Amino acid sequence: MIANRLIRFVATAVLLVIGLVGALSAQGRGGAPPGGGGGMGGGMPSFTRLGVLTMTLKLDEAQKKDAKEVLDQEFAAAEPLRKALLAARQKLGAAVQAADQAAIDQATSAYTAQATAMAAAEAAAVAKLVAHLKSDQAAPAAVQTVVSLMRGALAGKKWDTTPDLRFY
Amino acid sequence: MKSFISLVVVSLVLSAAVTEGRPDQGRGGGATGGAGGGGGMSVTDPTQFEQFVSKLKLNEKKQLPEVQKIFLDVAAEAAPIAQELTRLRTQMVAEYGKPDRLAPLEAAFNAASARMVAAELKAFAQVQALLKPDQLSKSADAFVLIAGIFNPPTPRSPSPMRRGGGGDQ
């Protein structure tokens, strides 16, 4: 129980620092998006997901290759989910614009079902990734970071992008 | 713990709103993305909030501050939901391959997602009240753009204190 709380606290604190430092460095650049620019202007460098995974989990070359393979496969398999998620969100948007409460309720149910399916696919991808790790690499805090990192990874046009897109 | 999480989310959204909430600064604003459509964006692409502001062509002096406040207020309310979604994701990873254990987690995730959508709808309804007819006509696209906006940002760097260096170790 205490360990779980500690992990949550540390993960949250890391997110806070990352977000605030990114935002502040963006402010210094005249309002550019937080964390952007790959380290330009003294801000923190941004990495793609594979870069963050590699450094966070200290992946060796073979593990890095395995991780890429796993995520390439999971991303390809998620194609129908991506389309369905976007379509569901667009339908919800249309219902909102029409101010049709019954349609909004129905579209919300459809959308959350797709969001859940996508989250399950991302969880499966993380689980497969973790299966390639050694025990000292799969500490709860590291897995927690990977879970956060992979949110939305299967929902965009590529998975190995700089993560900050929230998608759903 | 809850108040701390709320503070985190409010801080993040506030800083994002302050630094990002400028309509289309020549960075190609107005892109349609949202739920699954905006992937592959480069680090210089506009953020969700920038796209939202740009899509609706919000008035910087009058509408933008009010919209920022709306998002901040709702973000604080939605913080526990975001926390729950993250916790459920972690549990789903741990229970992967065990359908009996995954099913209730997915049901809980679905319910929490519905509460998050309700938060997005609440914020958007308040924004709509500030819009003019020509802006209201873009409601559907604008709502797509704020999918997941109350979730915390994902880590973009292995360590918040580390600077420079390449992608590998």
Side-chain angles (χ1 to χ4, degrees):
Chain A
M1 181 69 85
I2 292 173
N4 284 344
R5 283 187 179 176
L6 184 62
I7 288 163
R8 281 208 303 270
F9 179 83
V10 169
T12 307
V14 167
L15 286 174
L16 172 64
V17 172
I18 289 169
L20 289 182
V21 171
L24 289 173
S25 67
Q27 203 165 26
R29 292 195 304 271
M40 286 191 309
M44 281 173 35
S46 294
F47 295 89
T48 65
R49 282 194 172 88
L50 187 58
V52 179
L53 282 173
T54 301
M55 295 187 79
T56 299
L57 300 173
K58 296 184 170 55
L59 300 179
D60 60 31
E61 279 305 312
Q63 287 177 316
K64 187 177 171 184
K65 193 179 167 190
D66 287 342
K68 185 177 183 312
E69 204 170 292
V70 165
L71 294 173
D72 281 347
Q73 286 174 2
E74 295 300 309
F75 183 81
E79 173 71 19
L81 290 177
R82 271 192 295 283
K83 287 182 178 172
L85 182 62
L86 178 59
R89 184 73 187 193
Q90 287 172 332
K91 198 165 182 180
L92 181 54
V96 168
Q97 181 157 334
D100 180 342
Q101 191 56 51
I104 289 172
D105 293 344
Q106 195 173 13
T108 297
S109 293
Y111 173 73
T112 58
Q114 292 304 327
T116 302
M118 182 59 85
E122 288 170 1
V126 173
K128 290 174 185 176
L129 205 60
V130 170
H132 284 81
L133 301 178
K134 296 167 190 164
S135 57
D136 62 323
Q137 292 174 309
V143 173
Q144 181 68 57
T145 300
V146 176
V147 169
S148 295
L149 179 70
M150 293 304 293
R151 179 162 47 76
L154 304 184
K157 288 181 182 172
K158 293 177 182 175
W159 68 265
D160 192 18
T161 57
T162 304
D164 193 25
L165 305 169
R166 297 160 199 190
F167 291 118
Y168 70 98
Chain B
M1 187 66 187
K2 281 184 180 175
S3 60
F4 179 73
I5 296 289
S6 300
L7 177 63
V8 168
V9 173
V10 170
S11 300
L12 291 176
V13 176
L14 177 61
S15 54
V18 168
T19 58
E20 300 167 15
R22 294 171 173 82
D24 199 359
Q25 295 176 322
R27 288 197 299 273
T32 55
M41 300 168 82
S42 76
V43 292
T44 55
D45 283 320
T47 64
Q48 270 186 304
F49 192 77
E50 280 178 314
Q51 290 179 54
F52 181 74
V53 170
S54 178
K55 171 60 68 180
L56 293 174
K57 293 187 170 58
L58 294 181
N59 177 289
E60 241 181 295
K61 287 184 181 172
K62 255 188 128 178
Q63 292 176 313
L64 185 56
E66 290 185 69
V67 170
Q68 286 172 334
K69 185 178 184 315
I70 289 167
F71 274 78
L72 278 172
D73 290 346
V74 178
E77 293 173 23
I81 308 170
Q83 188 185 7
E84 186 181 354
L85 288 169
T86 300
R87 178 180 60 79
L88 289 165
R89 282 176 182 275
T90 306
Q91 290 182 326
M92 284 159 70
V93 171
E95 302 297 347
Y96 172 69
K98 303 167 195 163
D100 290 350
R101 294 189 178 206
L102 270 178
L105 294 174
E106 290 180 4
F109 191 94
N110 197 332
S113 289
R115 297 207 309 279
M116 185 58 92
V117 171
E120 292 169 1
L121 287 167
K122 179 181 177 180
F124 195 73
Q126 291 176 33
V127 171
Q128 281 184 306
L130 305 172
L131 300 180
K132 296 171 184 169
D134 60 321
Q135 293 172 313
L136 280 170
S137 69
K138 295 166 187 165
S139 288
D141 287 343
F143 185 74
V144 169
L145 292 173
I146 59 166
I149 198 165
F150 298 125
N151 284 316
T154 48
R156 309 180 84 184
S157 183
S159 164
M161 303 309 293
R162 186 175 296 157
R163 288 174 182 236
D168 297 347
Q169 250 184 357

